[in-house]
Amino acid sequence: MKKCRIAALAAAVIVAAAAAAVPVNAEHDIVENKSHDTHETFSCIGSVSKIFATTAVLQLAEQGKVDIDKPVADYLPDFRMADPRYKDITVRMLMNHSSGLMGTTAGDFMLFDDRDEAPHDTMLKELSTQRLKADPGDFGAYCNDGFELLELITEQVSGMSFTDYIEKNICSPLGMQQTGTAWNAFRTDEQVKTFHSGNVTIAADYCMDIGSGGIMSTASELCKFGSAFFKGDNSLLSDISKQEMNKTEAADKYEDGFGLGWDQVDYDDYKAVGVKLVSKGGDIINQHAGLLVAPDEKISVAVLSSGGNSMCNELMGMALMDIALAEKGIKVEHKTPEEKTLVDTVPEKYLAYEDIYITSEAVYTVSFPDRKYMEISCISSDKKEKRQYMYTSDDDFVLMDGNVPEGKAVQAKEQSVLTFRSRNGMDYICADNYIEVGRKNKLSMSSYNMQRAKANPVSDDVQSAWDKRSGKKYYLYSGKYSNTYYSEMPSVKIKTMPEAKGYTSSGMIVDSNNTRSALVMPGGRDIQDITMKQEKGYEILDITNCALEFISEDAIPQLESSMTEVKLSTKKASWFSIGSAENKTLILDMPENAAVYVYDQYDRMTYSSYMTDYGNSVPLPANGKIVFLGEDGGVINITQ
């Protein structure tokens, strides 16, 4: 696990001895700041917002207005998809991530210092052209779009905007004065400072998919929200509804143990001492959250941070949970796994598993050199990364550090154990990983890791069309000027591999202009289908289910020293390569609703007009790129 870099952190713990006592396009009042009497640090809780969306719909279910086992289409008459199986998606499936939806229709769903209703208003239209990646109910795979649909259901059934519903039915009953959304708590004085690369102050990021990740709160108020899920507390939901939230339909330990809204509702280390623990993590670009609740022991822990990631927050929350439980006389042990007994010969049965394997983001080869060990190589990365695993007496494979064939390897300090499994006629590799909780203890995390790829023969002409694109970069073209993806994912790259004909790094080749994700795996998270289009003689890479388009690097002109202005177009980025202008500085005169980003030769952001202390003087790195963004009619004037 990579270390966290946290710029600012807030945590809160509640230990209670007893229970604490619209149409889809609904309009709402836009209020810059909620009135409140408290002044704690305030930040976005990311996907912990999903518990708010789940709670809202379960409240409506308790009122008899929603049946969570009925189809989503019963509550959203305009909900359509290109895949007829959408009719089988129930409200419950949205809550436990088993709907089969592709994942995240991103578009302009995360913005710097900005808010926009477009992601909410266009969600049903975007879904109408999408397919499903699996039969509804087949397995759980994390899905943001499902919770956007819960937001729309809340509005349709209640007749209120989601923001107003949350304010009236969740925040007010709990006395939460600093919890809201970008529509009633925008640019607050208490907003946490956010940073790029650990130390460069940058404008706050907001998530506009409110039901999926757009709630904002303080650590203490989020902790108070968690306390509403204590056993016997009926302030938001009945115990019957909370029991439904705390159940998982995972078939085994390798499937994500989703409850309704919760990421995890079963932890072996806590079950061993009779403790039920539920948790939810949340991330946007620069703000992160973790919420853990022990409902029977009446302990709620919330950790918010600027920087780091939600896993760090949840691990800190777990450490705080352990302290609170210890004060109640309950000691939780997170035991360090024992070293495995190694076997120097791989059984012959495993040789049949040598093949190509895929994840949502990469392609791998699995081999067993001389039957001495297993080697997994990432062939879709530029570095050809390899990992070596030794067979063990437990009939599994353990990660090794060092070089196995040279006899210079030891079992990895952070143990990772792989096993082969079959499901519905497909082969998978599953993983048991162990991460640190405190300085010595380990927590086991199990998951489906990768899927065996099916053979996909294509014609030479089709393969050649994609081979010609291999190694080429495509740059974000359709994002709004405030879209945070310009800071984190300005480009994508296509890659083909001679070992995996019929595949690219992003999916299975369909024809000369289309790839389709072949992943059908529990826990596979977001997957993507790609279509290549033409615009003014250049290729546009369209991630069709993500509402994002990227323009070929071939279409990017050089920034000339004679340029004095750039005319802007709405959601049409103006990219330039930095060649003769390298190591120079530009002075920009920018209109409102515009932005500029600069990148080095590795596409790492070195400047953004959202960096709060950098002003309008822009240094240009050698061999980098610059992008100008804004709205129709806008002009950025340049002094070189």
Side-chain angles (χ1 to χ4, degrees), residues 317-627:
M318 198 168 288
L320 294 171
M321 177 65 70
D322 291 353
I323 293 170
L325 287 169
E327 291 177 351
K328 287 177 170 282
I330 303 171
K331 180 174 176 55
V332 180
E333 293 188 17
H334 307 287
K335 296 181 180 179
T336 299
E338 296 181 0
E339 279 202 358
K340 293 278 190 173
T341 300
L342 304 180
V343 179
D344 61 8
T345 302
V346 176
E348 187 173 355
K349 66 179 181 179
Y350 285 108
L351 301 185
Y353 289 100
E354 286 194 335
D355 211 338
I356 303 297
Y357 287 75
I358 58 174
T359 67
S360 61
E361 299 175 341
V363 181
Y364 300 83
T365 58
V366 173
S367 61
F368 303 92
D370 299 322
R371 289 183 58 188
K372 297 297 184 184
Y373 60 98
M374 177 170 68
E375 185 169 87
I376 299 181
S377 302
C378 182
I379 59 174
S380 59
S381 72
D382 293 334
K383 296 182 180 179
K384 296 282 186 181
E385 301 166 351
K386 295 183 179 181
R387 286 194 167 195
Q388 296 174 344
Y389 298 78
M390 288 286 290
Y391 182 66
T392 83
S393 60
D394 294 323
D395 193 29
D396 51 28
F397 295 84
V398 65
L399 178 64
M400 305 295 290
D401 284 340
N403 191 301
V404 173
E406 293 180 4
K408 299 177 181 179
V410 296
Q411 293 185 42
K413 183 178 179 181
E414 291 193 359
Q415 191 180 86
S416 178
V417 178
L418 302 185
T419 58
F420 288 84
R421 296 174 66 86
S422 294
R423 184 185 188 279
N424 293 345
M426 302 182 72
D427 293 329
Y428 299 90
I429 296 177
C430 294
D432 289 290
N433 295 316
Y434 298 86
I435 57 178
E436 292 186 5
V437 180
R439 287 184 296 176
K440 296 182 179 180
N441 297 326
K442 302 283 186 177
L443 178 69
S444 173
M445 302 290 284
S446 302
S447 64
Y448 277 76
N449 192 261
M450 59 183 69
Q451 172 187 311
R452 191 173 191 167
K454 293 182 178 180
N456 183 41
V458 297
S459 71
D460 291 344
D461 288 345
V462 169
Q463 183 67 49
S464 176
W466 287 99
D467 287 342
K468 290 176 181 177
R469 298 177 180 120
S470 187
K472 185 180 292 186
K473 287 184 176 181
Y474 296 78
Y475 287 81
L476 182 58
Y477 182 54
S478 64
K480 188 179 183 181
Y481 59 86
S482 52
N483 192 315
T484 61
Y485 275 20
Y486 285 106
S487 71
E488 294 294 316
M489 193 182 76
S491 67
V492 297
K493 184 164 68 172
I494 294 291
K495 185 168 185 180
T496 59
M497 303 132 289
E499 309 96 321
K501 295 290 186 181
Y503 282 84
T504 72
S505 49
S506 60
M508 178 186 289
I509 295 172
V510 177
D511 56 34
S512 297
N513 291 310
N514 292 276
T515 67
R516 177 186 176 104
S517 174
L519 198 69
V520 185
M521 183 174 76
R525 290 207 65 147
D526 294 350
I527 62 174
Q528 300 174 351
D529 292 344
I530 287 175
T531 294
M532 307 301 297
K533 305 186 297 189
Q534 293 285 325
E535 183 175 305
K536 297 181 180 179
Y538 293 105
E539 277 194 327
I540 300 289
L541 184 153
D542 183 1
I543 305 179
T544 56
N545 60 294
C546 290
L548 292 172
E549 294 182 347
F550 297 76
I551 192 166
S552 169
E553 60 184 340
D554 296 339
I556 298 177
Q558 185 168 301
L559 182 70
E560 301 293 344
S561 58
S562 59
M563 287 183 60
T564 59
E565 67 177 26
V566 176
K567 295 181 179 180
L568 305 174
S569 299
T570 300
K571 300 185 73 169
K572 296 288 185 182
S574 295
W575 283 91
F576 293 90
S577 294
I578 300 168
S580 59
E582 63 187 38
N583 299 319
K584 291 185 178 180
T585 298
L586 303 183
I587 306 299
L588 304 178
D589 180 13
M590 295 174 55
E592 291 187 7
N593 301 337
V596 172
Y597 297 83
V598 178
Y599 310 88
D600 66 15
Q601 61 183 318
Y602 304 107
D603 291 341
R604 296 176 300 200
M605 187 177 77
T606 60
Y607 169 87
S608 166
S609 50
Y610 287 106
M611 291 177 174
T612 56
D613 299 324
Y614 273 47
N616 63 346
S617 180
V618 183
L620 301 179
N623 304 313
K625 286 185 173 59
I626 185 169
V627 62

Side-chain angles (χ1 to χ4, degrees), residues 43-46 48-50 52 162 166 179-181 207 209-211 213-217:
S43 62
C44 185
I45 63 173
V48 181
S49 305
K50 291 177 171 65
F52 284 77
F162 189 71
I166 294 300
T179 298
T181 77
C207 180
D209 284 357
I210 307 300
I215 302 290
M216 296 180 287
S217 191

Side-chain angles (χ1 to χ4, degrees), residues 192-210:
V192 68
K193 287 187 177 181
T194 51
F195 301 86
H196 176 72
S197 298
N199 58 3
V200 178
T201 307
I202 196 166
D205 41 337
Y206 292 88
C207 180
M208 301 315 303
D209 284 357
I210 307 300

Side-chain angles (χ1 to χ4, degrees), residues 214-235:
I215 302 290
M216 296 180 287
S217 191
T218 67
S220 63
E221 289 201 353
L222 183 57
C223 202
K224 182 183 292 187
F225 174 67
S227 72
F229 299 96
F230 292 170
K231 185 177 181 179
D233 187 320
N234 297 316
S235 54

